[in-house]
Amino acid sequence: MQLVAIIEASWGWTGLKPLLVVGDNAFGNLIVKDVEERYWRLCPEDLSCRMIAASRAELDTLSSDQDFLHDWNMSELTRQAKERLGPLRPGFKYCLKIPGALGGEYGGDNLATLSLEELVSVSGSIARQVDQVHDGGRVRLVVK
């Protein structure tokens, strides 16, 4: 299955109607252009997908924001992952075994690698299951 189709199947419930992936980082974060030419950031480790720019001009402005770039590059976590796990194989990304949104540690033994397609699919499934759960609430995840 093509990545855009996987994004739509896994994250379409957020309102994203993906057209094109325009950027990615070592942890499988994606910047996705939608059919209305808006830009979204998909963050598997945070189980989030949200619109970050309403136009290409807004994305260009955001791309020069140092706070955004620091968050996007994930330099320290990427360095740690590369040190622990080695360089990435083609088609794979670093990831958190337990997403940060579920209390997983950002580093250490919680680091792993996974194919980008599987990372997008699994994180979208988990995000949908926990979307309406309040902080501290109980959840029972179904893994397929």
Side-chain angles (χ1 to χ4, degrees), residues 2-144:
Q2 193 177 33
L3 183 57
V4 169
I6 294 169
I7 294 167
E8 185 161 15
S10 304
W11 289 92
W13 60 272
T14 65
L16 171 60
K17 292 182 179 14
L19 179 65
L20 178 69
V21 175
V22 298
D24 67 282
N25 72 16
F27 271 83
N29 283 221
L30 303 175
I31 296 180
V32 181
K33 181 180 179 179
D34 74 8
V35 296
E36 296 179 28
E37 299 192 3
R38 300 175 303 181
Y39 295 85
W40 297 63
R41 180 173 178 183
L42 191 156
C43 298
E45 74 279 359
D46 290 337
L47 302 177
S48 68
C49 183
R50 63 182 183 85
M51 190 176 61
I52 58 170
S55 66
R56 181 62 199 209
E58 282 186 21
L59 181 64
D60 290 344
T61 298
L62 186 61
S63 296
S64 64
D65 179 273
Q66 292 305 305
D67 289 336
F68 174 80
L69 290 173
H70 176 75
D71 185 55
W72 172 256
N73 290 321
M74 302 173 76
S75 300
E76 177 55 28
L77 192 57
T78 299
R79 182 199 60 75
Q80 190 181 132
K82 188 172 184 179
E83 191 175 279
R84 291 180 74 90
L85 303 169
L88 288 166
R89 295 182 293 160
F92 281 71
K93 298 294 183 178
Y94 299 117
C95 65
L96 302 180
K97 294 175 187 176
I98 300 172
L102 298 179
E105 175 188 0
Y106 282 78
D109 291 335
N110 198 35
L111 295 171
T113 61
L114 196 61
S115 75
L116 177 58
E117 291 82 5
E118 191 171 2
L119 179 58
V120 168
S121 179
V122 168
S123 62
S125 174
I126 294 170
R128 186 173 197 168
Q129 292 177 65
V130 302
D131 183 54
Q132 300 300 316
V133 177
H134 301 291
D135 285 349
R138 294 175 56 107
V139 64
R140 181 175 178 207
L141 295 175
V142 177
V143 180
K144 298 178 182 178

